C-alpha cells in the first residue's frame, strides 16, 4: 500500500533496495550502485534549476520521492533526501554553480557542518583543517562540505565545498538506527578552499524562481521527517503481509481476525494519514503562495516546522504499534519491524525534530519570537 502512485521506473529500484536493507545496515552505507540508480531516477536533479539541466520539481514532489524510497529502506530514503543540496549549494556564486554543474545536474553532495572549525584566511580563500560529524551519505558523494568559522568573520558558519579526494571519511557511524546512512566523520588536513567555493550557511540563494524562495530550513527538516512517514508505512505494510498467515503458538486467531488488532490498525492508519495530510497541506499552502510571487508568512513556516516534528512522532509510534501487534515475532532480528522502530526512533532524535520545535511553535502561536534558526 503506497500513499501516492509509484512511478513505473521506480518499481525495480525500490524492490532491490528493500531486498538489500540488511546489507546496507551491515555495511553502514548505501552501495554505490544504488547511488548511481538514484541519479537515473532523478533524485539528485529533482531540485536543480532547469538552467543547469535539472527538473526543478516542487517541494511536495521531492518529498513524495523521498517518502517512497524510505518505504523501501529508511537509510536509503535518508541518503536520498540530500538531493535537496541545491538549497545549500545554491548560495555559491553563479560562476561556481556553473562549474559545479558543468558535467550535468546529478551532483551528489554530503556535508558535516558541526562542530564548526576555525579556518585561516589565505590568499584567495581559506586553509581548512578539522573533523566534522554526521555527514550522511558521504560514502556516495562526489562533493563534500564542512563548516568553518574564518578568522575575523561573523558568527554565522560558512560552508567550505571540497572535492571528495580532499576529504578523508572516517567510518565511525555505529548507531541503533539508520545505520545504513553512512553518517561518518569528515576529516580535512590543511586543504586550501578558494573563497568562491564557500558560502554562508543559510545565506541567500543565487537562484531565481519561486522554488528557491521556499524556506530553506523548513525544507531541510521536511526531507528528513518524510523519511519517518515512509518507514511507518513500511511497518504497516509488513503487518498486512503477515496478518492472514501468521498463526499464534497459543492457538489464538490469526492477527487479522483479532478485534483488538483490527481496532489498533485502524487507529494507526487514522493517525498516520492525518499527520501526512497536514504535512503535505502545509507544503502546498506555502507553495501556492510562492507561485504567485508572495512570501511565506511566519504562521505558514511555523506550520511547516510543527507538522514535520509531529509526523516524526506519529510515525515512530505507528512503527512501535506495528511491532507490538506482531508480538514476539517482531523482536527477532530477522523481522524488519524491529529495524523500522529503530529507524523512526533515531529520526525523532534529530535536532530539527526535538522538543524545542514545540517550544518554538507554541511561542509563535502566542505571538512571540521563536529561537534563532527556527523560521
Amino acid at each position: 500500500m503506497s500513499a501516492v502512485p509509484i512511478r513505473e521506473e521506480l518499481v525495480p529500484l525500490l524492490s532491490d533496495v528493500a531486498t538489500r536493507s540488511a546489507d546496507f545496515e551491515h555495511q553502514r552505507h548505501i552501495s554505490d550502485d544504488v547511488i548511481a540508480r538514484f541519479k537515473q531516477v532523478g533524485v539528485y536533479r529533482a531540485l536543480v534549476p532547469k538552467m543547469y539541466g535539472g527538473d526543478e520539481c516542487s517541494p511536495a514532489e521531492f518529498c513524495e520521492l523521498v517518502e517512497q524510497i524510505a518505504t523501501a529502506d529508511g537509510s536509503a530514503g535518508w541518503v536520498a533526501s540530500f538531493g535537496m543540496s541545491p538549497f545549500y549549494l545554491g548560495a555559491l556564486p553563479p560562476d561556481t554553480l556553473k562549474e559545479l554543474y558543468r558535467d550535468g545536474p546529478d551532483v551528489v553532495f554530503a556535508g558535516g557542518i558541526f562542530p564548526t572549525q576555525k579556518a585561516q584566511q589565505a590568499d584567495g580563500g581559506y586553509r581548512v583543517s578539522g573533523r566534522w560529524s554526521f555527514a550522511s551519505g558521504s560514502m556516495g558523494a562526489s562533493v563534500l562540505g564542512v563548516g568553518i568559522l574564518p578568522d575575523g568573520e561573523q558568527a554565522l558558519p560558512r560552508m567550505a565545498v571540497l572535492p571528495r579526494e580532499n576529504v578523508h571519511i572516517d567510518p565511525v557511524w555505529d548507531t541503533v538506527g539508520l545505520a545504513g546512512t553512512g553518517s561518518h566523520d569528515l576529516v580535512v588536513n590543511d586543504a586550501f578552499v578558494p573563497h568562491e567555493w564557500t558560502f554562508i550557511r543559510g545565506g541567500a540563494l543565487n537562484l531565481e524562481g519561486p522554488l528557491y524562495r521556499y524556506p530553506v530550513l523548513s525544507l531541510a527538516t521536511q526531507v528528513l521527517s518524510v523519511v519517518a512517514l515512509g518507514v511507518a508505512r513500511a511497518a504497516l505494510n509488513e503487518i498486512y503481509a503477515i496478518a492472514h498467515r501468521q498463526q499464534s503458538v497459543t492457538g489464538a486467531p490469526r492477527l487479522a481476525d483479532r478485534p483488538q488488532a483490527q481496532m489498533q490498525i485502524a487507529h494507526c492508519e487514522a493517525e498516520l494519514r492525518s499527520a501526512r495530510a497536514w504535512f503535505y497541506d502545509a507544503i502546498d499552502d506555502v507553495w501556492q503562495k510562492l507561485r504567485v510571487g508572495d512570501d511565506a508568512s511566519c504562521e505558514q513556516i511555523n506550520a511547516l516546522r510543527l507538522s514535520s516534528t509531529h509526523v516524526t512522532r506519529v510515525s515512530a509510534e505507528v512503527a512501535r504499534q506495528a511491532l507490538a501487534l506482531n508480538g514476539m515475532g517482531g523482536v527477532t532480528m530477522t523481522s524488519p519491524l524491529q529495524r523500522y522502530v529503530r529507524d523512526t526512533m533515531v529520526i525523532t532524535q534529530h535536532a530539527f525534530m526535538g522538543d524545542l520545535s514545540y517550544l518554538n511553535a507554541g511561542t509563535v502561536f502566542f505571538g512571540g519570537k521563536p529561537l534563532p534558526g527556527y523560521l
Side-chain angles (χ1 to χ4, degrees):
M1 184 181 299
S2 175
V4 294
I6 298 176
R7 289 168 15 207
E8 185 176 349
E9 66 270 25
L10 281 178
V11 173
L13 168 63
L14 298 184
S15 177
D16 186 39
V17 166
T19 301
R20 298 167 63 183
S21 286
D23 294 337
F24 301 149
E25 184 165 51
H26 177 73
Q27 69 188 19
R28 293 185 295 156
H29 69 270
I30 303 303
S31 301
D32 287 345
D33 68 297
V34 174
I35 300 300
R37 291 170 72 183
F38 281 176
K39 291 181 182 180
Q40 293 172 1
V41 299
V43 167
Y44 297 109
R45 69 178 59 199
L47 298 178
V48 173
K50 291 181 179 178
M51 66 180 294
Y52 298 123
D55 295 334
E56 212 168 309
C57 293
S58 72
E61 288 172 326
F62 183 70
C63 283
E64 287 176 349
L65 175 60
V66 173
E67 180 185 358
Q68 292 182 345
I69 294 172
T71 303
D73 178 70
S75 289
W78 191 268
V79 169
S81 76
F82 292 96
M84 75 151 290
S85 63
F87 279 79
Y88 295 127
L89 298 172
L92 289 167
D95 286 345
T96 305
L97 288 171
K98 291 178 184 177
E99 177 66 19
L100 178 71
Y101 295 117
R102 180 184 59 186
D103 297 325
D106 300 308
V107 174
V108 185
F109 173 78
I113 193 169
F114 297 111
T116 49
Q117 305 287 347
K118 293 288 186 180
Q120 294 182 336
Q121 301 273 0
D123 187 21
Y126 308 95
R127 305 301 311 187
V128 176
S129 295
R131 175 184 288 266
W132 295 262
S133 300
F134 306 121
S136 298
S138 54
M139 297 293 286
S142 57
V143 179
L144 296 161
V146 295
I148 61 173
L149 284 173
D151 294 335
E153 289 202 5
Q154 67 286 336
L156 284 175
R158 183 176 286 272
M159 184 75 87
V161 180
L162 303 93
R164 169 72 176 269
E165 56 266 25
N166 288 4
V167 182
H168 170 68
I169 299 174
D170 189 4
V172 299
W173 185 244
D174 187 16
T175 56
V176 68
L178 293 180
T181 60
S183 303
H184 300 307
D185 284 4
L186 304 181
V187 181
V188 177
N189 183 24
D190 193 33
F192 174 72
V193 181
H195 185 272
E196 62 268 22
W197 281 91
T198 71
F199 61 90
I200 298 296
R201 176 63 146 60
L205 303 184
N206 291 307
L207 302 173
E208 299 294 331
L211 176 60
Y212 305 108
R213 290 190 293 108
Y214 195 88
V216 175
L217 286 175
S218 296
L219 184 61
T221 304
Q222 290 170 316
V223 299
L224 300 179
S225 55
V226 78
V227 173
L229 264 180
V231 176
R233 173 51 58 194
L236 293 183
N237 288 349
E238 177 66 13
I239 290 299
Y240 295 136
I242 65 177
H244 290 281
R245 70 169 187 260
Q246 185 163 306
Q247 296 295 129
S248 170
V249 295
T250 64
R254 294 176 306 174
L255 186 61
D257 298 326
R258 301 175 198 172
Q260 182 59 34
Q262 294 163 355
M263 291 184 64
Q264 196 168 334
I265 205 70
H267 279 294
C268 286
E269 284 285 1
E271 293 294 328
L272 190 64
R273 290 176 186 231
S274 297
R276 184 182 187 278
W278 182 30
F279 176 83
Y280 281 105
D281 183 66
I283 293 176
D284 186 63
D285 192 31
V286 170
W287 181 235
Q288 295 307 322
K289 197 166 186 179
L290 296 178
R291 289 183 65 190
V292 298
D294 296 330
D295 291 327
S297 67
C298 174
E299 291 75 18
Q300 287 177 312
I301 298 175
N302 191 36
L304 295 178
R305 294 299 303 270
L306 183 56
S307 63
S308 294
T309 297
H310 179 65
V311 88
T312 64
R313 303 299 176 93
V314 169
S315 296
E317 178 58 19
V318 166
R320 191 195 68 79
Q321 292 273 359
L323 184 143
L325 274 170
N326 193 209
M328 287 300 293
V331 303
T332 66
M333 294 305 287
T334 57
S335 169
L337 288 168
Q338 46 77 27
R339 185 174 65 252
Y340 301 149
V341 171
R342 291 187 286 109
D343 285 353
T344 53
M345 183 272 289
V346 169
I347 296 171
T348 65
Q349 298 293 107
H350 193 281
F352 283 162
M353 272 66 83
D355 286 343
L356 274 178
S357 293
Y358 291 105
L359 174 66
N360 284 315
T363 299
V364 172
F365 284 129
F366 280 126
K369 186 176 180 180
L371 294 171
Y374 179 71
L375 299 177

